């Protein structure tokens, strides 16, 4: 079982230079200027090579908790409060059932949030990992829900599909952690995009299948789980100051897929 607390000295505090809020699809979104995130190695962009040495062995050496299968490490460039990273010790590019279940269980126990990016969807490191934070944001909760297609797949008992009433695909998998993990693996088999972005809140994992990583000119960086969660992270002041709600809505549309 993952610990809920972490040594205070192990976690890097979130210190945005500036922040502001906008209403995006009618929900509250926060914009933050975090210039230090420009220092991330492997940050998505045109200059990133096709292959590079993995930093994961070094990062696992910084773990403040671990067992035989998983480790928790600090995030050097946080975008959330008390943020930590969950890693599987075995190399894998996509989360497996044990990983999804562990993230969901931690989120429920911490009343927090879990976020998963992938290379091609804002991750700077190829190995599967999750961002965990006790922080909550209102954006996803404020988006109204609609029924999801009932015939998409046969769901495990106790699991349901829901969707957000937005003009792009934002599908929710709702249920207890173990059967929800099984449903997520089944959905991964059906996914026709290379990658997706995931945000885990409460009893639901929200999935955002991706068509683009960087939805420029609407958002000048890789759009990831932070933005889907409701916190838009900018590394430069000018686009942070100039961004409008229409820009962010257009970015979500451009980076995602049509609603089901």
């Amino acid at each position: 079982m993952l610990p809920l607390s972490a040594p205070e000295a192990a976690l890097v505090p979130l210190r945005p230079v500036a922040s502001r809020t906008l209403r995006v699809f009618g929900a509250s979104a926060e914009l933050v200027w975090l210039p230090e995130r420009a220092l991330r190695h492997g940050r998505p962009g045109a200059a990133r090579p096709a292959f590079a040495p993995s930093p994961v062995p070094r990062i696992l050496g910084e773990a403040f908790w671990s067992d035989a299968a998983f480790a928790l490490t600090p995030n050097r460039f946080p975008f959330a409060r008390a943020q930590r990273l969950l890693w599987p010790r075995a190399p894998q590019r996509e989360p497996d059932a044990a990983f999804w279940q562990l993230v969901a269980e931690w989120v429920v126990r911490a009343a927090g949030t879990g976020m998963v990016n992938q290379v091609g969807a804002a991750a700077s490191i190829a190995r599967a990992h999750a961002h965990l934070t006790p922080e909550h944001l209102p954006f996803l909760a404020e988006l109204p829900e609609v029924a999801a297609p009932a015939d998409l797949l046969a769901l495990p008992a106790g699991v349901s599909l829901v969707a957000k009433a937005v003009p792009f695909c934002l599908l929710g998998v709702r249920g207890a952690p173990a059967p929800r993990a099984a449903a997520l693996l089944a959905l991964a088999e059906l996914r026709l995009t290379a990658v997706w972005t995931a945000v885990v809140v409460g009893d639901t994992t929200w999935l955002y299948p991706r068509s683009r990583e960087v939805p420029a000119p609407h958002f000048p960086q890789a759009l990831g789980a932070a933005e889907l969660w409701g916190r838009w992270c900018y590394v430069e002041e000018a686009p942070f100051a100039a961004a409008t709600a229409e820009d962010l809505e257009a970015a979500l549309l451009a980076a995602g897929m049509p609603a089901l």
Side-chain angles (χ1 to χ4, degrees), residues 16 65 148 166 185 190 211:
W65 175 91
V166 289
L185 290 192
L190 304 183
S211 62

Side-chain angles (χ1 to χ4, degrees), residues 5 18 20 22 26 43 64 74-75 78-79 87 102 108 118 147 151 173 197 201 203 234 239 242 251:
S5 61
R20 61 194 188 96
L22 293 171
R43 188 163 67 97
F64 59 81
N75 184 357
F79 56 79
W87 302 89
L102 199 60
V108 170
Q118 297 173 299
D151 58 350
V173 185
T197 296
V201 287
D203 62 353
Y234 290 81

Side-chain angles (χ1 to χ4, degrees), residues 8 13 41 50 63 86 88 114 200 247 256:
E8 186 175 346
H41 293 292
L86 173 67
V200 186
D247 290 329

Side-chain angles (χ1 to χ4, degrees), residues 43-45 48 118-124 195 210-216 219 221-224 254-255:
R43 188 163 67 97
R48 185 166 64 178
Q118 297 173 299
V119 168
S124 59
V195 290
R210 302 299 298 273
S211 62
R212 288 170 62 184
E213 185 170 37
V214 180
F219 185 62
Q221 301 153 207
L223 190 156

Side-chain angles (χ1 to χ4, degrees), residues 48-99:
R48 185 166 64 178
F51 296 92
S54 174
V56 173
R58 171 188 60 76
I59 294 171
L60 292 180
E62 302 171 355
F64 59 81
W65 175 91
S66 64
D67 64 10
F70 296 97
L72 285 170
T73 71
N75 184 357
R76 290 186 177 184
F77 305 104
F79 56 79
R81 289 192 297 102
Q83 188 175 352
R84 74 241 23 211
L85 296 172
L86 173 67
W87 302 89
R89 289 196 165 275
Q92 58 189 74
R93 290 184 71 93
E94 295 237 8
D96 60 12
F99 187 93

Side-chain angles (χ1 to χ4, degrees), residues 22 30 32 38 57 133 136 172 208 212 221 225:
L22 293 171
E30 181 185 12
V32 293
T133 174
H136 264 293
Y208 174 53
R212 288 170 62 184
Q221 301 153 207

Side-chain angles (χ1 to χ4, degrees), residues 31 39 50 70 105 118 133 139 143 156 159 185 224 227 239 244 253:
L31 289 68
L39 302 176
F70 296 97
E105 289 172 345
Q118 297 173 299
T133 174
F139 177 70
L143 295 175
V159 177
L185 290 192
E227 288 73 32
T244 66
L253 284 167

